[in-house]
Amino acid sequence: PLRSLREWSARLRDPASPSETLRIVLEFAGRHFDRAAIFWLRDGEAQAMAQVGLPSAGGPGDAAVRELCVSVDEPSCFRKVCASRAPLRLAPEGEGDLALVARLGPTMPSELYVAPIESGEEVAALLYADNAVTRRPLGDTGALEVILHEGGLALDRAVLARSLEEREAGGSPAARPQGDAEA
């Protein structure tokens, strides 16, 4: 298990893009849960970007899941995770949670897992996961939480790299690294 975790962490050290980072996190989550989806957070909304396992439970595939967008405050599970910045395991409760789960497929899980992926001191994305298909209890999420943390660090690195590229492309003296100033 430790060797596998190291391999997954290594994959996150050099992803091609932020979306690739989130796909790696999703792929790892898919090894531990029946169904999982990643939601980008922007302007108070949670926009689904990718899924694993939803179609096998009667839910939407990749193209259809990208049409799923909800208010971050609507499902209480999303609101609680954004407020606490900590992963939660809970039974779906309230209209918002039930509506979210229904949009992910007809099978209602007894328990779900929602975790933040933080970048730049804020929650950038959420991971939703459950075992609605097999009905098995949610297992240990320690390794997944390491991957979620590594994913957040990879997002930070991608933002920094993009910022540096934009500064260098601008050509201003402030954009040049120290030591490269003209003599």
Side-chain angles (χ1 to χ4, degrees):
L2 187 55
R3 180 179 176 168
S4 175
L5 184 58
R6 283 185 189 141
E7 291 170 1
W8 283 90
S9 291
R11 287 180 63 189
L12 285 166
R13 284 193 202 104
D14 194 29
S17 67
S19 62
E20 179 64 20
T21 295
L22 295 177
R23 289 190 188 282
I24 292 169
V25 170
L26 181 63
E27 185 181 341
F28 188 85
R31 294 173 175 262
H32 301 278
F33 297 100
D34 296 344
R35 309 185 312 172
I38 294 276
F39 291 82
W40 277 112
L41 302 187
R42 183 173 297 148
D43 300 327
E45 293 185 330
Q47 174 72 52
M49 66 154 290
Q51 63 77 33
V52 64
L54 295 180
S56 66
D62 287 328
V65 82
R66 286 190 289 274
E67 295 177 16
L68 175 57
C69 185
V70 298
S71 166
V72 173
D73 293 330
E74 183 87 12
S76 66
C77 59
F78 283 8
R79 183 177 60 251
K80 289 175 183 177
V81 169
C82 287
S84 69
R85 294 182 167 200
L88 290 177
R89 296 169 179 245
L90 65 157
E93 58 186 29
E95 225 173 273
D97 288 359
L98 296 174
L100 171 67
V101 173
R103 291 182 71 183
L104 297 174
T107 307
M108 185 61 61
S110 58
E111 185 178 30
L112 51 92
Y113 176 82
V114 179
I117 302 172
E118 294 184 63
S119 176
E121 300 295 321
E122 63 185 39
V123 178
L126 294 171
L127 171 72
Y128 167 94
D130 67 40
N131 284 333
V133 177
T134 61
R135 299 279 187 205
R136 63 188 160 91
L138 300 180
D140 177 33
T141 57
L144 176 58
E145 289 167 22
V146 169
I147 295 299
L148 291 165
H149 178 72
E150 291 272 345
L153 294 174
L155 291 176
D156 286 343
R157 285 190 301 273
V159 168
L160 180 59
R162 183 177 16 192
S163 176
L164 289 172
E165 286 174 8
E166 288 172 1
R167 288 181 74 194
E168 288 175 0
S172 69
R176 286 194 299 263
Q178 287 185 328
D180 287 350
E182 297 172 353

